[in-house]
Amino acid sequence: MIWRLVVLGGVCVLLLGAEGSSRGGRTVTFHRPQQDESQGQARARPRRDMSSSSGTPRPFHGPPFTSCRTPLNPVEHKVLDDNTYETGFNGDDGSHVILTWVGDGTGVVLVLSTFSAPIDTFLEGGSSRLYRSMDYAKSFHDISHRINNTFIREEFGVSVGPGSSVILTADVPVVDNPGGVIFTSTDAGATFKYIQLPFHLAEPITYHFLNPDYLVALSIDDSLWLSLDFGAKWTKVHDGVHSFSWGAGINLFFSYSRTDTVYANERGDLVLKRTKDLGQTFTTIHEDIYSFGYIGAFLFFSVMEDSRSPRVMYFSSDQGDTFSRALLPSASTEQFYSILDGDEDMLFMHVDNPGDTFFGTMYTSDDRGILFSKSLERHLFDGQRKSDFTNITSLRGVYLTNKLDKDGRIRSVISFNRGGAWRQLNKPDNVECGEQVKNCNLHIHGEHSRKNNIIPMLALSEPTAIGLVIAHGTVGDSLSSSQHPDVFVSSDGGYNWRGTLKGPHHYSILDSGGLIVAVEAQHEGQVKTIKFSTDEGQCWKSYNFTVQPFFFAGLASEPGTKAMNVSVWGFRPEEDGQPMWVAVTIDFQSLITRECNDQDYEEWLAHATVGGELEREGCLLGVRETYRRLKKQSLCRNGRGFVVSKKQSPCLCTREDYLCDYGYYRHVNTSECVRQPSAANKTLELCLNGEEDELLTAGYRKVPSDRCEGGFSPQHAVQTVINPCGVKTSPGPPARSSSPVTHFDTPRERLVLILVCAGAGVIVLIAIVSAVFAVKRVVYRNRAPVYRFSNLQILDEANGIPADLESATSSNGTACGQDSDDDLIK
C-alpha cells in the first residue's frame, strides 16, 4: 500500500491512497504551520469548532456499542517503554517533512525536511535537510552533506523505485541553467551521485516497474526523455509530448501534438504512438485522440470519429496491436465516463447521468474491455467528481461503494462477486439501532466524506491480512454527516462487522494483520496515547508513548504490513516559540516475542455464509478458497517470512457466476437477465478488431476471472464474421490529406452523393464538403462531451512507479490518482 499523507496546522485533513506493491518505498508527507514572522512566534493552535454557535448542531454519537478494553500490566508497560524511541529534530525549521521507505525489509527510511520562503517575502529559494535511518525510524542521522547541502525541491523531491534505488530532484532555477540536477543512489541513500540533466523536469521521473535503470521524464518544453542507465545519460525520444505511460514489458506509450501541445488535447489533435524497443522505432496507434490511459492490461483512448456523434472510447488488450470500440450507452455532452478500477480481466466504469445529479451507472467489462454490462444504478459521484468506490484487497472479488437513492440519502453497498450483484452491509453485531430506525445497516464513509473532513482516512485492507477490513462508518438507515463516525472492523471481508473504536481514528495494519494500531483523531489539543489490538479489534490496550504530548501530524509504518513498529509524527512548541518536529517509534516486536506455530493458525473458508446451500458454501467466482490464517486468540507474531497460504477447488456454475450481457439488465424481483426496452432484437452488430461481427446472445456472460465448471450453462454468444469494417489495427487511420474528406457510408448517403454529383457537378460538391466540414467544427467545439477516467489505485504520484506489473496509467505520465480531476479524457 502506498500512501501520501498531508497534514495542515497539525490536524490531518487529507489522505490520499494508491495501491502499490512492496517492491517500492512508501512516501508520506507531513506539513506544519510556518512561524508568524510578524509576531516572532508560532501560530496559535487550530481554532475550536464553532459550528454549534453558528446554528449548525454538533454531530451526535451513533448507536452505542461496547468493545473490550484491557489495561497494560506493569511488565508490558516497561517493555514498551524500553522499546519506544523519540527523536526531536532540533533546529530544523522545515515546514514539510517527507518520509520515504527504501527497499523491502532494509530498515532504511529517508526523511527530507524542506522550507520554502513565503511568496509574499523578499526571500528567494529555500532550504532542506536530508536525514537517514537504518533502524526503522528509531534514530536518524543528518546526511545533507552527502548531497552538498543542496536544496531539494518540495514537490516530487524524493522518488524511490524498485530495489534500493532513490532519486532526489534539486530545486534549480530555470533561468541561467541549461538543465536541472538530480542525485541518484543505488544503495538506499548510503551514497549519492550528482547528475546534471540536459533538460528541466516538468514532473517526477518515472521508473520502469521492474528495471530501475529504465527512466522516463518529461521536460518543461514538452520533450520526452529516456535513460537506460539510471539517469547517467539521457536521450530525447520525441518532441511535443503531452502524456506518456509504460505498458507491459518495455512498451512505452505517449501522445504528442504535431503543432503545439497547448490545448491540443482539447482540440483532439493528439497522436498516440508506441515504441517497443525503447525509442528506436515507433508505431502510430491512432490519430486525432483527446487523451489516453493504461490500466490493468488495457490501453484506452477517446476519439471523435464523426461530427454527427459524440466522442467514442476504444480499448485494446494487446498493447495497441488491435483495438475496438467499447459498447457503452451513449453519453451526451453533459456526461462523462470514469474508469474506477481494472486489472487484466476486466474494468469497472462509471457512466454519468445527464445533468448535475451526482450519480450515474456503474458497468463492468468483459476480458477485452469491449462489452460492458450494467452493474449498479445510482452510483454516487459527488459534485467534486469523487467516487467512494473501494477495492477490498483482503479478499478476492469484494468491492465497496456508495449509492445515492431516490430519497436523496447515501447508502453503502457491497459486492462479493466483482460487481455481479450488490447488497447493503449487515448491521454490526454489537450495535442496535432502536425501534425508530426502520432499516438498520452499516454505511461506510468514503472519499466523499474524506473530502469534507468528516473522517481522517479511508477504509483500509491489505492482501496479507486475509479478510480484515477497517473503516469509518455510521449505523442507521443511511450515511449520516450529522453523526460522529466510528471505526468498524470486519474479519471476513465485509460480510459481518463489529464496532471497535468510538470516534474518528488514524489506523494501520501491522504484522500481516496480527497487530492493529490506532491513534484518535484530535481536531484540537495534543496526543500522547496509541491503542493496539492483537485480535483484529476485539480488544484494545492503550499506551502513553510520550511524557510531553505534541500536535499530531500522522501515523506512518513500513509498507507491506510486515513490520511490527509504527511511528507517530507531530510537532511540539519549544520555549523560543519555534515548533520542533518530533517522531516517536514504538517497536512491538519485544512485546510480542513468540513466533507463531501451526497450532496458532486455523483453516478458514472464505465467503462461507450461514444458511447458504451446502454444495455452494464458500463458492465465489467459481472457486472455493480455504485460507490458513491466524486465530484471533493467538498472541504471537506472523513475522516477516509470513506468506498467505490457501487451497482452491472449482465449483459448479450457477446464475451467480454470470452477468447480464450488453443490452440486458437483472430484473429486480428475479435473477433473470431481461433485455432493455431500447434493444429491439437479439442481434447486435459489432465492429471488433477490424471485422463486423453479429453477436447472438442469450443475455448472460460469465463474470471475468470466474472459473466455475459444469452446472448452469445459458446459451452462449455466437459470433459470425460477416465482412471487414474499417481499419482497427495499428497503425491507426490513414494519414490526413491536405483537404477535409467526408465519408458516405449508408445507402441513402451514397444516393445523395450520386444525385449531387450528377446534378450540380464538382462545384456544388466542393460547397457541400466545405459546409460539412464547417458543421463538424461547430459540433466539435460546442457539443464535445468529456470522457473522464479516474483510477483509484495505480501509482504513487510522488514516486512515479506503477503499482503492479501491468497496472500503470497515463494522462499526466505519472499517475492517475484519486483526484481524477487532473486526468480528463476530453
Side-chain angles (χ1 to χ4, degrees):
M1 184 72 66
I2 298 177
W3 296 97
R4 161 170 285 189
L5 184 62
V6 180
V7 181
L8 297 176
V11 179
C12 180
V13 299
L14 177 62
L15 181 65
L16 296 179
E19 297 296 331
S21 65
S22 59
R23 62 178 171 273
R26 177 167 60 182
T27 298
V28 184
T29 302
F30 302 115
H31 173 81
R32 75 180 180 200
Q34 298 182 20
Q35 181 182 5
D36 188 339
E37 299 293 341
S38 63
Q39 299 181 6
Q41 59 183 358
R43 291 180 183 175
R45 297 180 183 181
R47 292 181 298 173
R48 185 182 299 274
D49 182 7
M50 301 299 292
S51 59
S52 60
S53 62
S54 62
T56 303
R58 286 183 178 274
F60 61 88
H61 290 283
F65 61 82
T66 57
S67 58
C68 174
R69 297 291 185 271
T70 305
L72 284 175
N73 61 48
V75 175
E76 292 174 327
H77 203 288
K78 185 179 186 308
V79 169
L80 288 177
D81 282 345
D82 293 341
N83 291 275
T84 297
Y85 308 86
E86 181 170 325
T87 301
F89 295 83
N90 296 291
D92 192 318
D93 59 354
S95 57
H96 288 77
V97 166
I98 303 169
L99 287 78
T100 301
W101 279 264
V102 185
D104 286 332
T106 62
V108 174
V109 182
L110 294 179
V111 174
L112 177 68
S113 170
T114 64
F115 171 80
S116 298
I119 298 177
D120 56 354
T121 67
F122 293 102
L123 300 176
E124 294 183 0
S127 62
S128 64
R129 289 188 182 180
L130 184 64
Y131 304 90
R132 186 171 185 258
S133 172
M134 295 183 292
D135 53 9
Y136 297 95
K138 296 176 183 177
S139 63
F140 291 90
H141 302 280
D142 191 336
I143 61 168
S144 303
H145 61 280
R146 298 183 186 175
I147 56 172
N148 302 321
N149 296 300
T150 304
F151 178 28
I152 302 302
R153 61 188 304 165
E154 179 183 309
E155 183 185 10
F156 63 84
V158 183
S159 298
V160 294
S164 299
S165 56
V166 182
I167 298 176
L168 305 179
T169 303
D171 194 311
V172 177
V174 176
V175 180
D176 299 329
N177 288 283
V181 171
I182 62 173
F183 295 88
T184 61
S185 174
T186 58
D187 53 13
T191 60
F192 285 93
K193 178 182 179 181
Y194 173 93
I195 295 177
Q196 174 74 53
L197 298 176
F199 56 89
H200 287 278
L201 286 167
E203 58 188 44
I205 293 174
T206 300
Y207 290 86
H208 186 268
F209 47 84
L210 290 179
N211 191 337
D213 288 338
Y214 294 172
L215 305 176
V216 184
L218 190 63
S219 64
I220 59 175
D221 62 353
D222 301 321
S223 296
L224 189 66
W225 295 78
L226 178 66
S227 174
L228 304 180
D229 52 9
F230 195 46
K233 296 180 181 179
W234 291 85
T235 303
K236 183 186 290 189
V237 176
H238 212 283
D239 290 318
V241 173
H242 180 266
S243 61
F244 67 91
S245 173
W246 284 111
I250 58 173
N251 284 294
L252 180 63
F253 300 97
F254 62 92
S255 61
Y256 78 98
S257 173
R258 284 164 292 205
T259 55
D260 62 272
T261 57
V262 179
Y263 305 118
N265 59 322
E266 296 182 7
R267 299 192 306 267
D269 288 343
L270 296 176
V271 178
L272 178 59
K273 280 192 173 184
R274 178 194 66 196
T275 174
K276 302 174 67 174
D277 50 15
L278 301 173
Q280 299 300 312
T281 59
F282 302 91
T283 300
T284 298
I285 295 177
H286 209 288
E287 297 181 352
D288 299 330
I289 75 163
Y290 290 84
S291 207
F292 83 97
Y294 188 87
I295 177 174
F298 297 98
L299 171 71
F300 56 96
F301 52 91
S302 66
V303 182
M304 181 181 288
E305 295 183 324
D306 193 317
S307 61
R308 296 163 294 183
S309 62
R311 303 173 208 178
V312 295
M313 293 190 67
Y314 280 92
F315 286 82
S316 172
S317 57
D318 57 8
Q319 302 297 301
D321 289 337
T322 59
F323 49 88
S324 300
R325 178 176 173 176
L327 286 183
L328 280 165
S330 59
S332 69
T333 57
E334 299 176 341
Q335 297 172 270
F336 61 85
Y337 291 162
S338 174
I339 293 182
L340 303 170
D341 190 22
D343 55 24
E344 66 277 4
D345 293 320
M346 66 177 292
L347 295 168
F348 284 88
M349 178 173 284
H350 173 96
V351 179
D352 183 47
N353 271 35
D356 296 328
T357 60
F358 304 136
F359 68 86
T361 302
M362 186 192 304
Y363 291 83
T364 56
S365 77
D366 64 353
D367 56 2
R368 292 179 298 180
I370 301 172
L371 297 177
F372 284 80
S373 299
K374 185 182 295 185
S375 175
L376 178 67
E377 294 183 322
R378 303 191 68 88
H379 180 234
L380 176 67
F381 235 93
D382 68 11
Q384 297 176 314
R385 291 189 174 180
K386 300 292 181 183
S387 170
D388 292 342
F389 185 85
T390 303
N391 180 7
I392 303 301
T393 60
S394 59
L395 198 60
R396 184 174 63 97
V398 183
Y399 292 85
L400 177 71
T401 194
N402 285 320
K403 58 183 297 190
L404 181 62
D405 284 331
K406 294 181 179 179
D407 59 2
R409 296 179 179 271
I410 298 174
R411 294 181 174 90
S412 296
V413 290
I414 192 168
S415 174
F416 298 102
N417 61 347
R418 306 199 76 183
W422 297 84
R423 71 189 197 192
Q424 286 193 281
L425 281 70
N426 291 332
K427 176 187 71 66
D429 297 336
N430 58 342
V431 179
E432 297 296 334
C433 285
E435 297 180 356
Q436 71 278 10
V437 180
K438 294 182 180 180
N439 300 308
C440 187
N441 296 94
L442 174 63
H443 303 277
I444 301 299
H445 286 282
E447 181 68 17
H448 177 77
S449 297
R450 189 194 65 78
K451 288 293 292 184
N452 288 283
N453 301 329
I454 298 174
I455 59 171
M457 63 182 299
L458 303 175
L460 179 62
S461 61
E462 294 284 355
T464 56
I466 297 301
L468 182 60
V469 188
I470 311 173
H472 288 96
T474 59
V475 180
D477 177 67
S478 61
L479 194 64
S480 173
S481 60
S482 61
Q483 179 178 319
H484 270 298
D486 297 319
V487 180
F488 297 86
V489 171
S490 174
S491 297
D492 56 7
Y495 285 95
N496 299 287
W497 296 81
R498 284 183 56 86
T500 185
L501 293 171
K502 296 294 292 184
H505 283 71
H506 304 263
Y507 38 75
S508 184
I509 298 174
L510 306 177
D511 192 35
S512 301
L515 180 65
I516 305 174
V517 295
V519 174
E520 187 173 0
Q522 296 286 348
H523 293 287
E524 55 188 81
Q526 305 179 49
V527 300
K528 65 176 182 179
T529 303
I530 190 170
K531 305 171 185 178
F532 66 94
S533 172
T534 59
D535 54 11
E536 298 185 351
Q538 289 188 332
C539 285
W540 293 87
K541 294 184 178 183
S542 297
Y543 169 63
N544 292 335
F545 54 80
T546 183
V547 177
Q548 295 179 278
F550 53 79
F551 290 103
F552 179 79
L555 198 63
S557 60
E558 185 190 17
T561 74
K562 298 290 187 180
M564 292 197 65
N565 55 344
V566 64
S567 297
V568 184
W569 281 78
F571 60 93
R572 181 186 296 133
E574 293 297 279
E575 295 180 358
D576 59 358
Q578 288 281 0
M580 178 183 70
W581 282 107
V582 178
V584 178
T585 299
I586 305 108
D587 188 355
F588 289 92
Q589 187 167 278
S590 298
L591 181 66
I592 307 173
T593 58
R594 188 174 68 86
E595 296 284 347
C596 297
N597 55 44
D598 291 340
Q599 286 70 38
D600 293 305
Y601 295 94
E602 63 182 355
E603 298 289 312
W604 178 67
L605 179 61
H607 298 288
T609 57
V610 178
E613 300 178 12
L614 184 61
E615 64 274 10
R616 291 285 302 172
E617 186 177 17
C619 285
L620 180 91
L621 299 176
V623 176
R624 182 183 288 106
E625 294 179 323
T626 302
Y627 290 90
R628 178 177 178 265
R629 69 174 189 175
L630 190 66
K631 298 177 182 177
K632 292 184 178 64
Q633 65 271 22
S634 294
L635 183 58
C636 60
R637 64 187 186 202
N638 287 307
R640 290 190 171 273
F642 175 78
V643 178
V644 174
S645 175
K646 65 180 178 181
K647 301 175 183 177
Q648 292 184 332
S649 58
C651 300
L652 290 176
C653 296
T654 67
R655 282 198 177 100
E656 294 180 357
D657 297 295
Y658 289 84
L659 298 174
C660 293
D661 211 339
Y662 179 81
Y664 287 77
Y665 69 96
R666 193 177 298 274
H667 194 277
V668 176
N669 299 322
T670 69
S671 61
E672 299 294 330
C673 292
V674 181
R675 174 166 282 281
Q676 295 176 358
S678 59
N681 52 57
K682 291 188 177 182
T683 301
L684 297 173
E685 291 186 356
L686 314 176
C687 187
L688 303 178
N689 300 333
E691 296 175 338
E692 186 173 305
D693 294 352
E694 183 179 352
L695 178 64
L696 304 178
T697 175
Y700 298 87
R701 63 180 172 86
K702 187 176 286 188
V703 175
S705 75
D706 193 299
R707 301 194 295 273
C708 69
E709 301 176 359
F712 175 75
S713 179
Q715 179 183 351
H716 291 293
V718 178
Q719 295 184 355
T720 303
V721 176
I722 300 177
N723 61 292
C725 59
V727 179
K728 299 301 176 186
T729 57
S730 298
R736 301 189 203 179
S737 62
S738 58
S739 61
V741 177
T742 302
H743 298 280
F744 296 88
D745 297 324
T746 66
R748 177 177 296 180
E749 289 173 332
R750 290 170 181 165
L751 177 60
V752 170
L753 177 61
I754 294 173
L755 293 175
V756 170
C757 290
V762 177
I763 297 177
V764 176
L765 176 60
I766 295 175
I768 292 176
V769 172
S770 300
V772 171
F773 181 72
V775 171
K776 178 178 180 180
R777 297 289 293 182
V778 172
V779 172
Y780 157 72
R781 183 181 301 109
N782 298 328
R783 296 184 54 82
V786 174
Y787 291 84
R788 178 172 176 278
F789 63 94
S790 60
N791 176 28
L792 299 184
Q793 48 176 27
I794 294 301
L795 200 64
D796 180 354
E797 60 183 77
N799 296 335
I801 178 172
D804 53 54
L805 184 62
E806 293 183 343
S807 288
T809 176
S810 149
S811 123
N812 57 7
T814 58
C816 238
Q818 256 92 343
D819 189 359
S820 56
D821 289 335
D822 297 332
D823 298 316
L824 303 179
I825 293 187
K826 296 183 177 178

